Amino acid sequence: MAAQKALSGKDVATHNTRESCWIIVHGNVYDVTDFLDEHPGGSKIILKYAGKDATAEYDPIHPPDAITTNLPKEKHLGPVEPDTVEKVEVVITDEEKARLERVENRPPLDEILNLHDFEAIARQVMRDKAWAYYSSAADDEITNRENHAAYHRIWFRPKILVDVTKVDWSTTILGQRSTMPVYITATALGKLGHPDGELNLTRAAAKHGVIQMIPTLASCSFDEIVDAAQPGQVQWLQLYVNKDRAITKRIVQHAEKRGIKGLFITVDAPQLGRREKDMRMKFTDEDPSEVSKSGSDGVDRSQGAARAISSFIDPGLKWADLDWFKTITRMPLILKGVQRWEDALKAYDLGLAGVVLSNHGGRQLDFARSGIEVLVEVVAKLKEKRGISFPNEKFQLFVDGGVRRATDVIKAVALGATAVGIGRPFLYAFSSYGQEGVEKALQILHDEFEMNMRLIGAETIKDITPDMVDCSNIGSHIAAIPEDRLYDANYETLQHAKLREI
Ligand code: 173
């Protein structure tokens, strides 16, 4: 193709209406006039940038290739002469100034002692919208808090006089080596917290030899995240199943070709939960009467960007579909978001490679039980019904939600989990400190493992057995637990609707 002559910024600027709407993203011009009503995030946000450079707004929410893959080729109008583009005026508000000052005043990383610290700092240095999006959870956020609180109902029964001069907490997960029974679980929209988004996780995971689960809705493209991995670095893919199965098939087969070692099919999000902190944030910024209710596709856009961009997820996904996945890939298949033993048993009977006992970080069904509580019943029932014991190489159990300490991980391992997923703490780590923050978070977990393996009397992961914990209170949701000051201080109270300012 002949090199296209670059357009001038002045020309682009004249296409600034609903009737003719051009935008610039990463130095290229796109005619999005016909796309306005199809845009999952609504037309209003595009029209705000009509005729202008939308890159800064576009980047955190879209993978770089979203626009090129979604817009027909004839709407790609080619490059713009960089010097002719009017800079989008960035107004720094007093609030933003104050935030930047707080960023300057972050404590050095060596003063960060635990994963709670990252959350406390992130809450103060992140942009409000990003914090609201990452921290929010469903409805009254009862499950969100229970995820962490459940670990407080499990106590240790340590062994004494075991030679723990050398301790080793490395393990094997789905046949792959990991330096600890922890993986970085999938979380969407990494660039909301840091310009490098998910790549912070990839690079830190490489340094520490842990596995990263790549999210379907990452801010970086899937290929960018795989390209950033080191040779031999293990990555998995979290999959939201598209209503259009041809798209899902393409994603899955591309992932397998790129060396992805496990496919985690999310089954707890046929519809995205209501995260009211996130929703309220949108309403304080925009006049609610102007948030468009629905586009031509009938998607309700009044409930935040996440809900809108998740509209492709198929609420019709069912058990019978799982056989199809076996025909399109040889990757191990794992269901992510199992919440009762009956479903874990079905997954086992279907010959899947495992299940993640998870409630999506408390972001979906409020009053779903914690993964660690479900683990206890799954292990008991699968033993009773199928005579299998855990950990089990053929059918592996994973848990996520509320994990903040190596002791939490050790409890899950004692109860039969192969590994535990951690999500938000790593988001908070890179939102506050970039890649170094994630490295520090992983280092903290290693340090906590070393000490706690010694203190419970376990030399290796195999020595962490069910008799080392007392979980007799796990199902008792009203058991008194000691006050949890670090977590409670971080937890941000929900707010009611407010009167409009007069
Ligand atoms: O929990 C989430 O926020 C999530 O999974 C998601 C789903 C769709 C779009 C953005 C995020």
Side-chain angles (χ1 to χ4, degrees):
M1 199 168 59
Q4 271 171 297
K5 189 175 168 305
L7 292 155
S8 98
K10 275 220 176 65
D11 288 343
V12 179
T14 62
H15 297 268
N16 61 352
T17 64
R18 184 169 256 292
E19 286 66 46
S20 183
C21 178
W22 293 6
I23 56 166
I24 301 167
V25 175
H26 293 143
N28 286 299
V29 184
Y30 300 93
D31 178 353
V32 290
T33 316
D34 296 338
F35 178 68
L36 284 170
D37 288 328
E38 309 305 318
H39 181 230
S43 58
K44 193 167 164 247
I45 186 70
I46 303 188
L47 285 166
K48 191 170 159 192
Y49 290 91
K52 300 186 190 143
D53 191 341
T55 310
E57 182 76 28
Y58 171 96
D59 257 349
I61 322 194
H62 310 79
D65 58 357
I67 195 160
T68 45
T69 46
N70 283 311
L71 264 196
K73 283 273 175 297
E74 65 273 17
K75 307 287 182 191
H76 304 192
L77 306 180
V80 65
E81 290 164 10
D83 300 341
T84 65
V85 180
E86 213 181 304
K87 295 275 167 289
V88 177
E89 203 191 326
V90 187
V91 188
I92 301 192
T93 60
D94 288 347
E95 272 163 39
E96 178 63 2
K97 264 195 213 129
R99 186 187 74 82
L100 292 171
E101 218 164 275
R102 292 195 297 275
V103 172
E104 276 308 303
N105 290 328
R106 281 167 310 171
L109 268 173
D110 57 14
E111 286 179 22
I112 299 290
L113 298 185
N114 53 56
L115 300 198
H116 296 291
D117 280 346
F118 285 112
E119 188 161 348
I121 300 302
R123 184 173 161 186
Q124 297 174 77
V125 305
M126 285 178 73
R127 290 190 176 82
D128 289 346
K129 272 191 181 173
W131 166 259
Y133 176 68
Y134 287 173
S135 68
S136 61
D139 293 3
D140 287 337
E141 306 194 341
I142 305 296
T143 287
N144 182 44
R145 276 170 284 170
E146 162 64 6
N147 279 349
H148 182 67
Y151 284 95
H152 294 194
R153 301 198 296 270
I154 304 172
W155 298 75
F156 286 118
R157 301 182 67 249
K159 284 185 187 160
I160 54 164
L161 297 176
V162 176
D163 179 356
V164 286
T165 316
K166 278 204 210 122
V167 284
D168 177 4
W169 54 97
S170 67
T171 191
T172 301
I173 312 174
L174 296 172
Q176 309 293 329
R177 291 299 298 166
S178 170
T179 56
M180 53 181 149
V182 167
Y183 59 88
I184 300 177
T185 196
T187 47
L189 306 186
K191 284 192 188 170
L192 281 179
H194 187 277
D196 289 352
E198 294 80 11
L199 302 184
N200 291 300
L201 303 173
T202 312
R203 295 171 184 143
K207 288 209 170 161
H208 278 276
V210 297
I211 299 172
Q212 175 191 21
M213 189 191 296
I214 300 174
T216 294
L217 289 162
S219 308
C220 300
S221 75
F222 171 80
D223 284 306
E224 276 180 295
I225 301 173
V226 176
D227 289 342
Q230 295 300 312
Q233 182 176 344
V234 179
Q235 292 173 308
W236 295 328
L237 176 66
Q238 173 267 336
L239 184 74
Y240 277 126
V241 179
N242 200 304
K243 288 174 195 145
D244 181 346
R245 291 292 195 278
I247 295 178
T248 290
K249 182 175 173 184
R250 205 170 58 229
I251 293 173
V252 169
Q253 297 190 334
H254 179 66
E256 184 165 3
K257 215 162 72 209
R258 298 267 3 228
I260 295 297
K261 295 287 186 284
L263 186 66
F264 287 70
I265 305 171
T266 295
V267 290
D268 58 12
Q271 171 179 344
L272 229 57
R274 281 169 63 89
R275 294 94 187 247
E276 295 179 9
K277 272 178 192 151
D278 193 32
M279 291 163 72
R280 216 174 284 292
M281 182 61 64
K282 306 244 153 50
F283 286 117
T284 52
D285 273 17
E286 294 182 35
D287 180 345
S289 60
E290 285 187 30
V291 179
S292 61
K293 272 278 178 227
S294 67
S296 59
D297 51 3
V299 174
D300 184 349
R301 304 189 202 290
S302 67
Q303 301 192 5
R307 271 243 178 147
I309 61 175
S310 64
S311 58
F312 71 90
I313 300 171
D314 187 4
L317 185 69
K318 51 192 186 308
W319 284 103
D321 294 321
L322 294 175
D323 280 337
W324 175 74
F325 282 95
K326 291 189 201 159
T327 68
I328 63 165
T329 181
R330 295 167 61 105
M331 285 185 283
L333 299 177
I334 300 96
L335 299 185
K336 178 173 176 287
V338 169
Q339 306 188 43
R340 58 197 327 242
W341 69 263
E342 293 89 335
D343 287 341
L345 185 67
K346 271 191 199 164
Y348 174 74
D349 287 344
L350 276 173
L352 304 187
V355 289
V356 186
L357 308 171
S358 164
N359 52 43
H360 209 117
R363 291 162 79 81
Q364 290 297 104
L365 177 67
D366 206 11
F367 287 94
R369 296 172 301 161
S370 66
I372 189 79
E373 180 178 342
V374 178
L375 175 70
V376 175
E377 83 169 27
V378 166
V379 168
K381 285 290 185 180
L382 266 66
K383 175 141 199 92
E384 179 191 320
K385 305 277 177 196
R386 297 292 181 270
I388 60 166
S389 57
F390 293 96
N392 187 292
E393 244 174 75
K394 290 226 165 63
F395 186 71
Q396 305 196 352
L397 301 178
F398 304 96
V399 176
D400 70 27
V403 174
R404 296 293 183 276
R405 296 276 190 186
T407 47
D408 299 337
V409 183
I410 291 171
K411 290 171 184 178
V413 169
L415 292 169
T418 297
V420 166
I422 298 183
R424 284 194 190 90
F426 295 128
L427 291 178
Y428 296 141
F430 75 59
S431 298
S432 309
Y433 295 95
Q435 178 189 338
E436 268 185 81
V438 184
E439 287 175 33
K440 175 76 181 183
L442 289 165
Q443 188 56 50
I444 287 171
L445 287 169
H446 276 295
D447 295 345
E448 290 188 352
F449 262 110
E450 178 170 25
M451 181 189 73
N452 288 301
M453 295 282 288
R454 291 211 171 95
L455 296 183
I456 63 162
E459 280 183 86
T460 71
I461 289 292
K462 284 195 176 57
D463 303 314
I464 305 175
T465 46
D467 59 294
M468 298 182 100
V469 290
D470 173 0
C471 66
S472 51
N473 263 337
I474 188 69
S476 172
H477 297 175
I478 53 161
I481 51 164
E483 270 185 56
D484 171 15
R485 296 187 176 278
L486 286 179
Y487 191 81
D488 284 354
N490 278 339
Y491 181 76
E492 190 181 29
T493 314
L494 290 158
Q495 304 291 322
H496 291 116
K498 292 195 175 74
L499 291 178
R500 295 209 189 183
E501 277 179 39
I502 310 164

